[in-house]
Amino acid sequence: MLTARIAVLVSGGGTNLQALIDAQRRGELHSGVLSLVIADKPGVRAVTRAHEADIACAVIPRREPGFEEKVLEALGHYRIDMVVLAGFLGILSADFIAQFPGPIINIHPSLIPAFCGKGFYGLKVHQAALDYGVKVTGATVHYVNEVPDGGKIILQKAVEVQPGDTAEVLQRRVMEQAEWVILPQAAELVAQTIMK
Ligand code: GRF
């Protein structure tokens, strides 16, 4: 049985990358193999996590000219079948998406269509949920298209907002109870669909 070669794009702490690594070790991510990590800035914890898991890792600074071309070149070099955006803060252009033949999926820390789209990332998402006063939030894994957070939804998981939550506390609960659970599950589902 062939397995999909997976690249993970990261920008920061890499806790979602770690969830993928741990799921692979537990045998829960078996239709794909983590084959490449691309960090869009140097020195982030996600790079260390990739090295510790013996996964090939490239640092391609997002602000440098030719970022997307360099990413596409790396994806081709490593024969990547699908891409997972895991805590990746960049917005990929429609041209990039058109040039990469396989699926691209993203984890967003809310129940899309709430609190998503341009400007909604990291703590801002959770602060908006608290400001609105929602009682339930969560995370979504979706296909990436040219609309920020606009692609078809794959999996979602709800998380309760507790009285007195700060954005930091809520972010941690959403990561632990939702993001780190559904991202590996979604990666396995998508890998299965492309290796049929
Ligand atoms: C998390 O809030 C995640 O939802 C968002 O980026 C933050 C950090 O992710 N996408 P990670 O620890 O770098 O995976």
Side-chain angles (χ1 to χ4, degrees):
M1 164 85 170
L2 286 176
T3 51
R5 293 176 59 79
I6 302 172
V8 185
L9 272 52
V10 297
S11 297
T15 64
N16 280 289
L17 168 64
Q18 192 63 54
L20 292 165
I21 292 166
D22 296 345
Q24 182 169 267
R25 283 190 182 133
R26 292 193 303 264
E28 294 161 12
L29 176 53
H30 51 81
S31 299
V33 56
L34 299 173
S35 303
L36 174 64
V37 171
I38 298 178
D40 66 357
K41 62 181 171 187
V44 293
R45 178 88 194 281
V47 171
T48 307
R49 295 180 193 271
H51 291 321
E52 287 170 351
D54 292 326
I55 301 170
C57 185
V59 176
I60 306 176
R62 188 168 74 229
R63 304 205 187 290
E64 281 184 10
F67 170 73
E68 291 193 342
E69 289 75 13
K70 290 171 185 169
V71 172
L72 284 165
E73 188 183 336
L75 296 178
H77 180 71
Y78 283 87
R79 296 178 286 109
I80 298 302
D81 299 302
M82 59 183 273
V83 171
V84 179
L85 307 184
F88 179 70
L89 297 179
I91 300 291
L92 297 171
S93 69
D95 188 42
F96 178 97
I97 294 162
Q99 289 191 62
F100 180 70
I104 304 172
I105 69 175
N106 179 53
I107 176 85
H108 181 76
S110 76
L111 297 176
I112 289 173
F115 313 119
C116 68
K118 195 165 172 50
F120 282 101
Y121 57 88
L123 278 176
K124 292 181 179 185
V125 176
H126 304 290
Q127 192 56 59
L130 291 172
D131 293 347
Y132 198 99
V134 296
K135 304 307 177 191
V136 174
T137 185
T140 303
V141 183
H142 61 95
Y143 285 102
V144 171
N145 62 16
E146 64 288 349
V147 176
D149 301 327
K152 181 173 176 285
I153 289 174
I154 302 166
L155 288 178
Q156 292 189 301
K157 192 168 193 299
V159 171
E160 276 197 9
V161 179
Q162 307 285 354
D165 271 349
T166 62
E168 289 79 3
V169 167
L170 184 54
Q171 178 180 53
R172 186 77 195 177
R173 187 178 312 122
V174 169
M175 290 166 90
E176 288 174 349
Q177 297 184 10
E179 296 180 39
W180 301 344
V181 174
I182 62 173
L183 186 59
Q185 290 174 347
E188 172 61 20
L189 286 172
V190 173
Q192 287 174 11
T193 63
I194 60 177
M195 297 318 285
K196 270 190 175 139

